């Protein structure tokens, strides 16, 4: 029997970037308070959250303070330290969702892939590599190119190095600089993702999104994805299988490859709201952030259906060097019907840094609007603004 | 040429109740910061706003501090003092929107009605009254009953006293206790309202809502209103005429009577986002709060079209006496697809106090959903919860 008081329940979030900010934005109407822990004073989430504890992500004293103020702990970055969180949770009795064990599984991409493969989730061929000979052997088996991946610490394509031929093996290993794995290069038709939610005794998945990457950074998400119905169903089924493996409530961003022959292969999992799910704020019956709030609190989940075709485009730092964040020529975005601006509140722009996003939704009464057309219009909006002086 | 930095522009808001809170919720994604001034420490808006200045609404030193921190001043309560705001604005150079002169026009209901009538806005017959003889003369002219209204300070029906017969004139004047006016009782088919926005060089109106009052308190708003197309057009035309009279940018809640013969008469104006416009958060292409943010900053206005039929029901204190706010049995609301809960963060429940609201939207794919059916479902959701112990 869910009950609300003032102050409402408090979620303690390790990390206070844009995901924490949008989480706090979704929590406020529900009467749910958010306290974030982040080392950067006045981090993006600080504006909206009840409070910020300024501490490193693995600072045990800081996380203890966070646990003392919260009814449940969660995280918005994988840099959260699973051991510290587990220890604090055991000592304080404040639960963590998703479970630190899930974070541990996901932290090491090799462990992640092995665990998922064991659970019957389709993954591209992969193997651990210790040296250049192992990489070359993988090329023999999978064919060139292969993708060499750092087992830990990589995100937004960092730590991923394509290896085009055997002669590049040494250089690639040096670039990765640490424990590595090799994955077969997937000949994909498109990259899609499913935002999936594990609730108390229920699960939910949002309509699948189609992701457009450039230089391994997500540029746009298109919903609905331009996949066949059969492929869409497979993607949802894989997402539900992934949730079976994950331990603890919350939102998971599940990135998938749709191969040229219509198979679905798992790419990567983020145990948190995901960049490719920002479209849900305007495009779905509920947002991934509201779902994460509900899930970690053990509240009932919300409906996830599409409201209308939607495209989200990221506003990345288009600068050559770090400089104070100043986005100009916003009028076209502000004047476009059904275009929603989201600003992350970062003080400095850096090359390709995620500074905000714009979501463009189709008018429900114009249900024949193609996502291709929406995508073109969203790109034009993104092209109209700049962080350059 | 609109530009965004971090920190973004700051709006200083006199009043930090639920309207200020929802204003801050709408401002955050846009990178706009909100500072509120309110005498109640940790007022509803404080959770979401950047900061709260704890001061009375007419405290000049507090408003000067607010002006010093803000790019523009606005207010979310009519209790804001127009003289103080005007003086502070002149001294500090921080503009106020809407203009204090508009607040002055609206504060006195007699002045409000006279100004609007002079501008050609249709209003019910009205007149100033000084004593019981004047009230009785009004009954002779308009027929009984008439509505005796306090010229200042009334809201949510407070200060409005129906006078059924001449013999009640003295008692009614005593109840109003101050300068008063009499209005002819309008034989209305329904009460509707238009949320209208005055921008920098543009205006916008949201689809008209149908308001259901009980004991002069707004219970539900139904959108679209069940008015004919001709009546709807008249309502929009009247709203645009009202904006002509109002001075300064911002959102105006314009309450109207639809008479039994299909005429539109002005009831009252609120120079701020309005309870009857909360449906816009989920039901329209933009919300009244985002529009107010854009308008007071001089940014372009957003689209206002309906996303799908929508009903908002207010969660009022259903208690006999003041008690700590504790709303139980929320599960049905949380489990209902397209039901959105908004909690205002008030610590105490009081009889009929506005504690939150629930908006229920129709599924866009079920475009034949009648608002009558939505209204019944929304009422059932409201009936399922209680503040009673």
């Amino acid at each position: 029997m869910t009950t609300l008081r003032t102050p409402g329940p408090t979620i303690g979030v390790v990390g206070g970037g844009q995901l924490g900010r949008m989480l706090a934005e979704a929590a406020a109407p529900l009467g749910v308070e958010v306290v974030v822990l982040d080392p950067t004073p006045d981090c993006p989430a600080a504006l909206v959250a009840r409070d910020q504890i300024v501490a490193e992500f693995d600072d045990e004293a800081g996380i203890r303070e966070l646990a003392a103020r919260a009814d449940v702990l969660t995280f918005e970055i994988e840099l959260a330290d699973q051991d510290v969180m587990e220890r604090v949770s055991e000592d304080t009795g404040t639960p963590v969702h998703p479970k630190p064990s899930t974070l541990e599984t996901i932290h090491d991409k090799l462990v992640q892939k092995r665990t998922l493969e064991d659970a019957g989730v389709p993954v591209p061929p992969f193997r651990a590599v210790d040296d250049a000979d192992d990489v070359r052997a993988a090329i023999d088996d999978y064919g060139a190119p292969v993708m060499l991946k750092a087992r830990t610490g990589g995100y937004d394509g960092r730590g991923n190095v394509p290896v085009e031929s055997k002669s590049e093996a040494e250089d690639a290993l040096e670039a990765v600089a640490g424990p590595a794995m090799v994955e077969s290069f997937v000949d994909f038709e498109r990259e899609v993702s499913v935002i999936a939610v594990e609730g108390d005794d229920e699960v939910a998945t949002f309509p699948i999104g189609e992701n457009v990457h450039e230089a391994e950074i997500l540029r746009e998400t298109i919903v609905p994805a331009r996949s066949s119905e059969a492929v869409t169903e497979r993607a949802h089924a894989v997402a539900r299988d992934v949730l079976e493996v994950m331990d603890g409530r919350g939102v998971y961003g599940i990135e998938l490859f749709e191969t040229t022959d219509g198979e679905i292969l798992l790419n990567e999992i983020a145990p948190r709201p995901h960049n490719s799910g920002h479209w849900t704020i305007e495009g779905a019956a509920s947002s991934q952030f509201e779902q994460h709030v509900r899930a970690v609190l053990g509240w009932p989940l919300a409906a996830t259906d599409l409201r209308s075709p939607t495209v989200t485009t990221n506003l990345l730092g288009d600068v050559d060097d770090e400089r104070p964040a100043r986005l100009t020529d916003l009028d076209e975005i502000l004047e476009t019907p059904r275009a929603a601006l989201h600003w992350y509140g970062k003080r400095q722009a850096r090359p390709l840094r995620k500074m905000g996003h714009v979501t463009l939704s189709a008018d429900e009464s114009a249900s024949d609007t193609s996502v291709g057309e929406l995508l073109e219009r969203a790109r034009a909006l993104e092209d109209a603004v700049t962080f350059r002086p």
Side-chain angles (χ1 to χ4, degrees), chain A:
Chain A
M1 196 187 80
T2 312
T3 295
L4 254 180
R5 289 182 178 79
T6 301
T10 298
I11 302 177
V13 186
V14 175
Q18 67 266 24
L19 299 176
R21 180 173 172 132
M22 289 185 272
L23 195 71
E25 287 169 8
L30 295 171
V32 174
E33 308 210 347
V34 166
V35 178
V36 299
L37 177 146
D38 196 285
T40 305
D42 200 19
C43 62
L47 175 67
V48 194
R50 163 64 78 184
D51 216 345
Q52 175 185 2
I53 295 168
V54 178
E56 295 296 327
F57 301 126
D58 60 356
D59 180 299
E60 186 157 336
I63 293 173
R64 279 184 191 279
E65 188 189 337
L66 190 67
R69 295 184 59 177
D71 298 286
V72 59
L73 292 175
T74 189
F75 41 87
E76 57 102 79
I77 44 153
E78 286 96 328
L79 290 170
D81 185 303
Q82 63 262 30
D83 297 329
V84 175
M85 293 195 78
E86 184 136 41
R87 195 158 57 235
V88 170
S89 177
E90 274 170 16
D91 292 353
T92 60
T94 306
V96 185
H97 285 282
K99 298 280 184 207
S101 56
T102 287
L103 206 46
E104 195 173 357
T105 303
I106 285 177
H107 262 168
D108 185 328
K109 288 182 182 175
L110 182 65
V111 176
Q112 183 188 140
K113 281 278 153 67
R114 280 187 180 148
T115 308
L116 291 164
E117 187 177 47
D118 289 349
V121 173
V123 297
F126 69 95
R127 65 174 64 170
V129 290
D130 287 327
D131 54 30
D133 281 343
D134 291 346
V135 176
R136 285 187 284 265
I139 290 176
D140 278 335
D141 289 355
Y142 304 150
V146 295
M147 186 65 95
L148 187 70
K149 292 184 167 184
R151 283 173 55 181
T152 57
Y155 64 96
D156 277 354
R158 277 180 249 192
N160 286 3
V161 180
V163 188
E164 304 286 343
S165 69
K166 290 183 184 179
S167 63
E168 294 176 17
E170 272 90 0
D171 287 351
L173 278 170
E174 205 164 301
V176 163
M181 60 179 286
V182 155
E183 235 177 57
S184 164
F185 221 91
V186 176
D187 187 17
F188 61 82
E189 178 71 25
R190 58 178 67 85
E191 295 180 84
V192 298
S193 60
V194 178
I195 305 299
V197 201
E198 177 86 43
D200 193 26
D201 56 0
E202 58 181 325
V203 298
T205 54
F206 285 92
I208 78 171
E210 175 179 339
N211 299 323
V212 181
H213 290 82
E214 253 176 69
E216 303 220 38
I217 300 224
L218 179 63
R219 300 300 173 121
E220 295 109 2
T221 300
I222 303 164
V223 190
R226 290 168 289 191
S227 306
S228 69
E229 203 171 313
V231 168
T232 301
E233 271 174 31
R234 262 198 290 284
H236 282 286
V238 168
R240 283 190 296 270
D241 288 344
V242 168
L243 286 187
E244 292 280 323
V245 181
M246 299 294 124
D247 199 13
R249 303 191 301 259
V251 162
Y252 295 85
I254 301 171
E255 294 184 276
L256 305 165
F257 295 117
E258 175 186 339
T259 67
T260 46
D261 52 1
E263 289 308 303
I264 287 289
L265 296 175
L266 187 106
N267 181 10
E268 279 179 20
I269 299 170
R272 51 164 174 77
H274 192 256
N275 193 178
S276 69
H278 295 347
W279 69 270
T280 57
I281 299 173
E282 289 84 15
S286 66
S287 79
Q288 64 169 347
F289 299 102
E290 175 170 354
Q291 295 282 22
H292 194 66
V293 168
R294 288 170 173 247
V296 301
L297 291 173
W299 285 9
L301 301 182
T304 54
D305 50 304
L306 186 70
R307 295 200 71 175
S308 66
T310 297
V311 170
T312 290
T313 179
N314 286 310
L315 299 175
L316 306 175
D318 60 342
V319 291
D320 298 323
D321 303 291
E322 177 158 339
R323 56 168 39 254
R326 182 171 171 275
L327 187 64
T328 56
D329 296 311
L330 278 169
D331 297 76
E332 197 172 327
I333 292 175
L334 293 172
E335 286 166 5
T336 298
R338 304 292 179 111
L341 171 68
H342 293 262
W343 177 258
Y344 298 160
K346 298 179 183 178
R347 285 174 190 262
Q348 295 291 110
R350 288 197 291 263
L352 296 181
R353 190 180 198 195
K354 294 179 187 125
M355 303 299 295
H357 73 263
V358 175
T359 295
L360 184 64
S361 304
D363 188 333
E364 285 83 358
S365 63
S367 55
D368 56 345
T369 307
S370 80
V371 286
E373 188 189 318
L374 272 184
L375 177 60
E376 291 212 358
R377 289 177 51 213
R379 281 181 173 158
L381 292 180
E382 197 270 327
D383 284 346
V385 296
T386 183
F387 288 96
R388 286 192 294 268

